[in-house]
Amino acid sequence: MFLYKLSRLLLRFFDRLPFGLLSIISDLFFVVIYYLIKYRKKVVVGNLRNSFPGKPLKEINAIARKFYKHFTDLLFEIIKLESLPEAELFKRVTVSGSEILSVLAERNKSVVVVMSHSGNWEWTSQRVCFEGRDFEYIGVVAKEVSNPYFGEYFTNLRLRLQLGHAEIIPFTETAKHLAAIRHKKSMIITIADQTPHIDQIQYRTDFLHQDTAVFLGPERVAKTLNSAVVFCHVKKTSRMHYHIHFELITDTPQDCTKFDITNRHVKMLEEDIIKQPEIWLWSHRRWKY
C-alpha cells in the first residue's frame, strides 16, 4: 500500500508536466534504461534478430535503440493520459478510414476492432472508442493487472475519457460479456498480439519468420456475434503523435474459412512492423512458447 501511494504521487507529478518537459525527462530516462540498466536488452535484440534474420547486427542495434527511445516516450505518454484532454488526444492521434465504422453502424452491424502493441495502444484504443460512438455498446478486452491497486488505476485511466460510453472487459470474462450483449450493435476492441499461455495454444502460424502461437479471440468473437472485423493500423508520425487507419478484413465472418481472419490480421500487423519496427513492443517475450 505504501509503495502504491508513493508511486501514485510520482505519477501525478509527471502527469502535470507539459509535454515539452516530459520529452526532456524521457530522454534522460532513455539513457538510464538503455545504457545503464539495459532493461531487457537481450530480449529486445534477440527478438529483432530472429524477426529480421537478413539484417546486419549494426542495423538491428539501431532499431533497438530507436525502440528504447519510443519506449521511454510511451511510458510518459501513458502517465499523461490521466489528465489528457479530449481535444489534445484528437490532436495527437489522427484517424483515417473511420467511415468503415460509420457504414457498419448504419447497417446495424457489430464490429470487432483488432489492435496490437504498436505505437501507444492506450491512446489509440481511446481514440478508437470515440470513433465507435454510433454503436450501442463499446467494450475493450484487457488482461487483468495482477496488482489490485494498479489494476484499479489502469481501469480508471482507460475509461477516463469514455465514462458512459465504454467499459473494460476482463479477458477471463469475455464469454460472459459477449453473451450479455449479443443482441446489441456492439464494437469490441481487442489487442490480438499477446502470447497465449502454453495450455491455451490452439493455433500457430508464421509471423516475422517464426513459428508463433496466436490467440483466436477476434475470429471467434466475430463468428459468434456475426460481427465485421476491422484492423487498426498504427503509425507514429512524429514524437508523441500517431495516426491510425481502419481497414476492413471482412463483414461476412461466417463465410470465412477457419483461421482465415486470424491469418489476415496477423499478416497486416507483420507488414506494419516491417514498415516501422521501432514502435512495436519488442521487450515482450512474444516467443516464449
Side-chain angles (χ1 to χ4, degrees):
M1 175 64 81
F2 171 75
L3 288 176
Y4 171 73
K5 289 184 176 180
L6 178 61
S7 299
R8 290 292 287 119
L9 286 174
L10 287 172
L11 292 172
R12 287 195 185 99
F13 169 74
F14 286 121
D15 173 54
R16 280 156 177 74
L17 299 178
F19 276 103
L21 186 53
L22 280 180
S23 295
I24 295 172
I25 296 172
S26 177
D27 289 340
L28 297 173
F29 195 50
F30 160 74
V31 173
V32 173
I33 72 163
Y34 182 72
Y35 290 105
L36 301 179
I37 298 176
K38 298 181 180 180
Y39 171 73
R40 291 196 173 187
K41 201 167 183 179
K42 288 184 178 180
V43 174
V44 171
V45 173
N47 282 339
L48 284 167
R49 293 188 74 172
N50 292 332
S51 299
F52 301 101
K55 292 185 182 295
L57 183 58
K58 183 179 180 180
E59 189 173 350
I60 293 295
N61 287 333
I63 295 172
R65 190 177 185 279
K66 288 180 181 179
F67 161 73
Y68 279 99
K69 292 282 288 184
H70 166 73
F71 182 72
T72 52
D73 278 358
L74 171 66
L75 296 178
F76 289 102
E77 288 170 10
I78 292 174
I79 292 171
K80 191 66 176 172
L81 184 56
E82 190 166 15
S83 66
L84 191 69
E86 179 181 318
E88 187 72 17
L89 177 69
F90 277 55
K91 173 185 172 184
R92 291 181 176 271
V93 182
T94 56
V95 178
S96 63
S98 58
E99 64 275 3
I100 292 171
L101 298 178
S102 300
V103 170
L104 291 170
E106 288 175 6
R107 291 171 50 196
N108 210 34
K109 187 81 174 177
S110 293
V111 62
V112 176
V113 177
V114 182
M115 298 189 64
S116 68
H117 286 97
S118 287
N120 182 335
W121 51 92
E122 299 293 351
W123 281 13
T124 51
S125 61
Q126 290 269 342
R127 193 68 175 86
V128 172
C129 287
F130 278 106
E131 297 304 312
R133 295 265 176 109
D134 290 334
F135 293 88
E136 297 175 71
Y137 173 87
I138 303 172
V140 183
V141 180
K143 281 194 171 184
E144 297 87 339
V145 178
S146 56
N147 183 297
Y149 299 110
F150 281 102
E152 182 180 2
Y153 166 75
F154 273 101
T155 297
N156 293 335
L157 194 70
R158 289 163 175 166
L159 290 179
R160 192 183 67 81
L161 293 173
Q162 301 299 333
L163 288 176
H165 295 284
E167 71 170 342
I168 300 297
I169 302 176
F171 180 79
T172 55
E173 299 177 14
T174 303
K176 182 175 71 175
H177 280 260
L178 294 181
I181 57 96
R182 63 187 183 279
H183 298 305
K184 292 184 178 181
K185 180 174 62 176
S186 62
M187 182 170 78
I188 305 297
I189 302 168
T190 178
I191 295 180
D193 60 347
Q194 301 179 77
T195 306
H197 191 270
I198 192 167
D199 60 1
Q200 296 175 325
I201 297 173
Q202 297 181 327
Y203 183 62
R204 307 183 75 93
T205 190
D206 182 75
F207 174 60
L208 292 172
H209 300 282
Q210 295 165 86
D211 178 50
T212 306
V214 294
F215 276 114
L216 295 174
E219 180 170 326
R220 286 180 170 168
V221 172
K223 291 195 173 187
T224 298
L225 300 179
N226 193 28
S227 301
V229 184
V230 172
F231 187 78
C232 180
H233 297 276
V234 178
K235 179 182 179 182
K236 190 169 187 175
T237 54
S238 61
R239 192 170 190 184
M240 297 187 176
H241 289 79
Y242 302 89
H243 180 77
I244 59 178
H245 176 73
F246 297 105
E247 182 178 355
L248 180 68
I249 293 178
T250 181
D251 58 357
T252 55
Q254 294 173 343
D255 294 338
C256 295
T257 58
K258 192 174 185 181
F259 306 132
D260 180 51
I261 293 172
T262 299
N263 287 332
R264 288 168 68 181
H265 73 67
V266 168
K267 186 65 176 176
M268 287 178 176
L269 173 58
E270 183 179 67
E271 291 172 353
D272 284 354
I273 292 172
I274 291 170
K275 291 175 184 175
Q276 201 172 28
E278 65 271 15
I279 70 168
W280 195 55
L281 190 62
W282 295 103
S283 56
H284 175 52
R285 298 181 189 275
R286 182 64 182 87
W287 291 277
K288 58 185 175 182
Y289 303 124

Short mmCIF file of all heavy atoms in Angstrom, two decimals, residues 65-99:
data_model
loop_
_atom_site.label_atom_id
_atom_site.label_comp_id
_atom_site.label_asym_id
_atom_site.label_seq_id
_atom_site.Cartn_x
_atom_site.Cartn_y
_atom_site.Cartn_z
N ARG A 65 17.81 0.68 -30.49
CA ARG A 65 17.99 2.00 -29.87
C ARG A 65 16.77 2.88 -30.12
O ARG A 65 16.28 3.56 -29.20
CB ARG A 65 19.25 2.67 -30.41
CG ARG A 65 19.66 3.93 -29.65
CD ARG A 65 20.96 4.49 -30.20
NE ARG A 65 21.42 5.62 -29.40
CZ ARG A 65 20.97 6.87 -29.51
NH1 ARG A 65 20.04 7.13 -30.41
NH2 ARG A 65 21.44 7.83 -28.74
N LYS A 66 16.25 2.86 -31.34
CA LYS A 66 15.03 3.62 -31.65
C LYS A 66 13.85 3.12 -30.83
O LYS A 66 13.00 3.90 -30.40
CB LYS A 66 14.71 3.52 -33.15
CG LYS A 66 15.65 4.31 -34.05
CD LYS A 66 15.23 4.15 -35.51
CE LYS A 66 16.14 4.90 -36.44
NZ LYS A 66 15.73 4.71 -37.87
N PHE A 67 13.80 1.79 -30.65
CA PHE A 67 12.71 1.23 -29.84
C PHE A 67 12.75 1.78 -28.42
O PHE A 67 11.71 2.18 -27.87
CB PHE A 67 12.79 -0.30 -29.81
CG PHE A 67 12.01 -0.90 -28.67
CD1 PHE A 67 10.62 -0.92 -28.70
CD2 PHE A 67 12.64 -1.39 -27.54
CE1 PHE A 67 9.87 -1.42 -27.64
CE2 PHE A 67 11.92 -1.90 -26.47
CZ PHE A 67 10.53 -1.92 -26.52
N TYR A 68 13.92 1.81 -27.82
CA TYR A 68 14.01 2.30 -26.44
C TYR A 68 13.67 3.78 -26.35
O TYR A 68 13.08 4.23 -25.35
CB TYR A 68 15.40 2.03 -25.86
CG TYR A 68 15.57 0.61 -25.37
CD1 TYR A 68 16.20 -0.35 -26.16
CD2 TYR A 68 15.07 0.21 -24.13
CE1 TYR A 68 16.35 -1.66 -25.73
CE2 TYR A 68 15.20 -1.08 -23.69
CZ TYR A 68 15.84 -2.02 -24.48
OH TYR A 68 15.96 -3.33 -24.04
N LYS A 69 14.01 4.55 -27.38
CA LYS A 69 13.61 5.96 -27.40
C LYS A 69 12.08 6.06 -27.42
O LYS A 69 11.50 6.89 -26.72
CB LYS A 69 14.20 6.65 -28.64
CG LYS A 69 15.71 6.81 -28.61
CD LYS A 69 16.17 7.95 -27.72
CE LYS A 69 15.87 9.29 -28.33
NZ LYS A 69 16.41 10.41 -27.50
N HIS A 70 11.46 5.23 -28.25
CA HIS A 70 10.00 5.20 -28.30
C HIS A 70 9.42 4.70 -26.98
O HIS A 70 8.43 5.24 -26.48
CB HIS A 70 9.53 4.30 -29.45
CG HIS A 70 8.08 3.94 -29.37
ND1 HIS A 70 7.06 4.84 -29.64
CD2 HIS A 70 7.46 2.77 -29.02
CE1 HIS A 70 5.90 4.26 -29.48
NE2 HIS A 70 6.11 3.00 -29.09
N PHE A 71 10.03 3.67 -26.43
CA PHE A 71 9.51 3.03 -25.22
C PHE A 71 9.47 4.01 -24.03
O PHE A 71 8.49 4.05 -23.28
CB PHE A 71 10.38 1.82 -24.87
CG PHE A 71 9.92 1.06 -23.67
CD1 PHE A 71 8.78 0.27 -23.70
CD2 PHE A 71 10.64 1.11 -22.48
CE1 PHE A 71 8.35 -0.43 -22.59
CE2 PHE A 71 10.22 0.41 -21.36
CZ PHE A 71 9.08 -0.37 -21.41
N THR A 72 10.53 4.80 -23.85
CA THR A 72 10.53 5.75 -22.74
C THR A 72 9.49 6.85 -22.97
O THR A 72 8.82 7.28 -22.04
CB THR A 72 11.92 6.36 -22.52
OG1 THR A 72 12.41 6.90 -23.76
CG2 THR A 72 12.90 5.31 -22.02
N ASP A 73 9.33 7.29 -24.22
CA ASP A 73 8.25 8.23 -24.53
C ASP A 73 6.90 7.62 -24.18
O ASP A 73 6.02 8.28 -23.61
CB ASP A 73 8.27 8.61 -26.01
CG ASP A 73 9.27 9.70 -26.33
OD1 ASP A 73 9.93 10.22 -25.40
OD2 ASP A 73 9.40 10.05 -27.52
N LEU A 74 6.73 6.36 -24.56
CA LEU A 74 5.47 5.66 -24.33
C LEU A 74 5.09 5.66 -22.85
O LEU A 74 3.93 5.88 -22.49
CB LEU A 74 5.58 4.22 -24.85
CG LEU A 74 4.44 3.25 -24.52
CD1 LEU A 74 3.15 3.69 -25.20
CD2 LEU A 74 4.82 1.83 -24.95
N LEU A 75 6.06 5.39 -21.98
CA LEU A 75 5.78 5.35 -20.54
C LEU A 75 5.20 6.67 -20.05
O LEU A 75 4.21 6.70 -19.31
CB LEU A 75 7.05 5.02 -19.78
CG LEU A 75 7.67 3.64 -20.03
CD1 LEU A 75 8.96 3.48 -19.23
CD2 LEU A 75 6.69 2.53 -19.67
N PHE A 76 5.80 7.77 -20.48
CA PHE A 76 5.32 9.09 -20.04
C PHE A 76 4.03 9.49 -20.75
O PHE A 76 3.20 10.21 -20.18
CB PHE A 76 6.42 10.13 -20.23
CG PHE A 76 7.56 9.96 -19.26
CD1 PHE A 76 8.74 9.37 -19.68
CD2 PHE A 76 7.42 10.33 -17.94
CE1 PHE A 76 9.79 9.18 -18.78
CE2 PHE A 76 8.47 10.15 -17.03
CZ PHE A 76 9.65 9.56 -17.45
N GLU A 77 3.84 9.02 -21.97
CA GLU A 77 2.57 9.27 -22.66
C GLU A 77 1.42 8.61 -21.91
O GLU A 77 0.34 9.20 -21.76
CB GLU A 77 2.64 8.70 -24.08
CG GLU A 77 3.52 9.46 -25.03
CD GLU A 77 3.73 8.72 -26.35
OE1 GLU A 77 3.03 7.72 -26.59
OE2 GLU A 77 4.59 9.15 -27.13
N ILE A 78 1.63 7.39 -21.44
CA ILE A 78 0.59 6.68 -20.71
C ILE A 78 0.27 7.38 -19.40
O ILE A 78 -0.90 7.55 -19.02
CB ILE A 78 0.99 5.21 -20.48
CG1 ILE A 78 1.03 4.45 -21.81
CG2 ILE A 78 0.01 4.53 -19.52
CD1 ILE A 78 1.56 3.04 -21.71
N ILE A 79 1.31 7.82 -18.70
CA ILE A 79 1.10 8.57 -17.45
C ILE A 79 0.28 9.83 -17.72
O ILE A 79 -0.63 10.18 -16.97
CB ILE A 79 2.46 8.94 -16.82
CG1 ILE A 79 3.18 7.68 -16.32
CG2 ILE A 79 2.27 9.93 -15.66
CD1 ILE A 79 4.61 7.92 -15.89
N LYS A 80 0.59 10.49 -18.83
CA LYS A 80 -0.07 11.74 -19.18
C LYS A 80 -1.55 11.55 -19.50
O LYS A 80 -2.34 12.51 -19.43
CB LYS A 80 0.64 12.36 -20.39
CG LYS A 80 0.25 13.78 -20.72
CD LYS A 80 0.67 14.76 -19.63
CE LYS A 80 0.33 16.20 -20.04
NZ LYS A 80 0.56 17.15 -18.94
N LEU A 81 -1.95 10.33 -19.79
CA LEU A 81 -3.35 10.05 -20.15
C LEU A 81 -4.30 10.40 -19.01
O LEU A 81 -5.47 10.69 -19.24
CB LEU A 81 -3.51 8.58 -20.53
CG LEU A 81 -4.87 8.11 -21.03
CD1 LEU A 81 -5.34 8.92 -22.22
CD2 LEU A 81 -4.84 6.62 -21.38
N GLU A 82 -3.79 10.42 -17.78
CA GLU A 82 -4.65 10.69 -16.63
C GLU A 82 -5.27 12.09 -16.69
O GLU A 82 -6.33 12.33 -16.12
CB GLU A 82 -3.88 10.50 -15.32
CG GLU A 82 -4.76 10.52 -14.09
CD GLU A 82 -4.06 10.00 -12.85
OE1 GLU A 82 -2.82 9.89 -12.86
OE2 GLU A 82 -4.76 9.71 -11.86
N SER A 83 -4.61 13.03 -17.36
CA SER A 83 -5.16 14.39 -17.45
C SER A 83 -5.29 14.86 -18.89
O SER A 83 -5.60 16.03 -19.13
CB SER A 83 -4.27 15.37 -16.68
OG SER A 83 -2.99 15.47 -17.29
N LEU A 84 -5.06 13.98 -19.85
CA LEU A 84 -5.07 14.38 -21.26
C LEU A 84 -6.47 14.80 -21.69
O LEU A 84 -7.41 14.00 -21.64
CB LEU A 84 -4.59 13.22 -22.13
CG LEU A 84 -4.27 13.54 -23.59
CD1 LEU A 84 -3.02 14.41 -23.69
CD2 LEU A 84 -4.07 12.24 -24.38
N PRO A 85 -6.65 16.04 -22.14
CA PRO A 85 -7.98 16.48 -22.59
C PRO A 85 -8.36 15.79 -23.90
O PRO A 85 -7.49 15.36 -24.67
CB PRO A 85 -7.81 17.98 -22.81
CG PRO A 85 -6.55 18.35 -22.13
CD PRO A 85 -5.67 17.14 -22.18
N GLU A 86 -9.64 15.70 -24.15
CA GLU A 86 -10.13 15.08 -25.38
C GLU A 86 -9.56 15.78 -26.61
O GLU A 86 -9.12 15.12 -27.57
CB GLU A 86 -11.66 15.15 -25.39
CG GLU A 86 -12.31 14.56 -26.62
CD GLU A 86 -13.82 14.69 -26.58
OE1 GLU A 86 -14.42 14.46 -25.50
OE2 GLU A 86 -14.40 15.05 -27.62
N ALA A 87 -9.51 17.09 -26.59
CA ALA A 87 -9.00 17.84 -27.75
C ALA A 87 -7.53 17.53 -28.01
O ALA A 87 -7.10 17.45 -29.16
CB ALA A 87 -9.19 19.33 -27.52
N GLU A 88 -6.77 17.34 -26.94
CA GLU A 88 -5.34 17.03 -27.10
C GLU A 88 -5.15 15.63 -27.65
O GLU A 88 -4.25 15.38 -28.47
CB GLU A 88 -4.63 17.16 -25.74
CG GLU A 88 -3.12 17.01 -25.80
CD GLU A 88 -2.42 18.21 -26.42
OE1 GLU A 88 -3.06 19.28 -26.54
OE2 GLU A 88 -1.24 18.07 -26.81
N LEU A 89 -6.01 14.69 -27.22
CA LEU A 89 -5.95 13.33 -27.76
C LEU A 89 -6.23 13.35 -29.26
O LEU A 89 -5.53 12.69 -30.04
CB LEU A 89 -6.97 12.43 -27.06
CG LEU A 89 -7.06 11.00 -27.59
CD1 LEU A 89 -5.80 10.21 -27.26
CD2 LEU A 89 -8.29 10.28 -27.02
N PHE A 90 -7.23 14.12 -29.67
CA PHE A 90 -7.58 14.22 -31.09
C PHE A 90 -6.44 14.85 -31.90
O PHE A 90 -6.23 14.51 -33.07
CB PHE A 90 -8.86 15.03 -31.27
CG PHE A 90 -10.11 14.22 -31.08
CD1 PHE A 90 -10.33 13.50 -29.92
CD2 PHE A 90 -11.08 14.17 -32.07
CE1 PHE A 90 -11.48 12.75 -29.75
CE2 PHE A 90 -12.25 13.41 -31.91
CZ PHE A 90 -12.44 12.70 -30.74
N LYS A 91 -5.71 15.77 -31.28
CA LYS A 91 -4.59 16.42 -31.94
C LYS A 91 -3.42 15.45 -32.10
O LYS A 91 -2.74 15.45 -33.13
CB LYS A 91 -4.15 17.63 -31.12
CG LYS A 91 -2.89 18.31 -31.61
CD LYS A 91 -2.49 19.43 -30.65
CE LYS A 91 -1.12 20.01 -31.01
NZ LYS A 91 -0.70 21.04 -30.02
N ARG A 92 -3.20 14.62 -31.10
CA ARG A 92 -2.04 13.73 -31.10
C ARG A 92 -2.30 12.37 -31.72
O ARG A 92 -1.37 11.63 -32.00
CB ARG A 92 -1.51 13.59 -29.66
CG ARG A 92 -0.89 14.87 -29.15
CD ARG A 92 -0.33 14.77 -27.75
NE ARG A 92 0.31 16.04 -27.41
CZ ARG A 92 1.59 16.33 -27.65
NH1 ARG A 92 2.36 15.42 -28.22
NH2 ARG A 92 2.09 17.50 -27.32
N VAL A 93 -3.55 12.00 -31.90
CA VAL A 93 -3.90 10.75 -32.59
C VAL A 93 -4.91 11.08 -33.67
O VAL A 93 -6.09 11.29 -33.40
CB VAL A 93 -4.48 9.70 -31.62
CG1 VAL A 93 -4.77 8.40 -32.38
CG2 VAL A 93 -3.54 9.42 -30.46
N THR A 94 -4.45 11.12 -34.91
CA THR A 94 -5.34 11.40 -36.03
C THR A 94 -5.86 10.09 -36.62
O THR A 94 -5.30 9.02 -36.36
CB THR A 94 -4.62 12.23 -37.11
OG1 THR A 94 -3.42 11.54 -37.51
CG2 THR A 94 -4.25 13.60 -36.56
N VAL A 95 -6.92 10.20 -37.41
CA VAL A 95 -7.63 9.00 -37.87
C VAL A 95 -7.98 9.11 -39.34
O VAL A 95 -8.32 10.20 -39.84
CB VAL A 95 -8.95 8.80 -37.06
CG1 VAL A 95 -9.71 7.58 -37.56
CG2 VAL A 95 -8.66 8.67 -35.58
N SER A 96 -7.92 7.99 -40.05
CA SER A 96 -8.47 7.90 -41.40
C SER A 96 -9.15 6.54 -41.54
O SER A 96 -8.86 5.60 -40.79
CB SER A 96 -7.36 8.05 -42.46
OG SER A 96 -6.40 7.01 -42.36
N GLY A 97 -10.07 6.46 -42.47
CA GLY A 97 -10.79 5.21 -42.70
C GLY A 97 -11.93 4.95 -41.74
O GLY A 97 -12.53 3.87 -41.75
N SER A 98 -12.29 5.94 -40.91
CA SER A 98 -13.34 5.72 -39.91
C SER A 98 -14.73 5.60 -40.54
O SER A 98 -15.68 5.16 -39.88
CB SER A 98 -13.35 6.86 -38.88
OG SER A 98 -13.53 8.11 -39.51
N GLU A 99 -14.84 5.96 -41.83
CA GLU A 99 -16.13 5.79 -42.49
C GLU A 99 -16.54 4.32 -42.54
O GLU A 99 -17.73 4.00 -42.64
CB GLU A 99 -16.09 6.38 -43.91
CG GLU A 99 -15.12 5.71 -44.87
CD GLU A 99 -13.71 6.24 -44.77
OE1 GLU A 99 -13.44 7.11 -43.91
OE2 GLU A 99 -12.86 5.76 -45.55
#
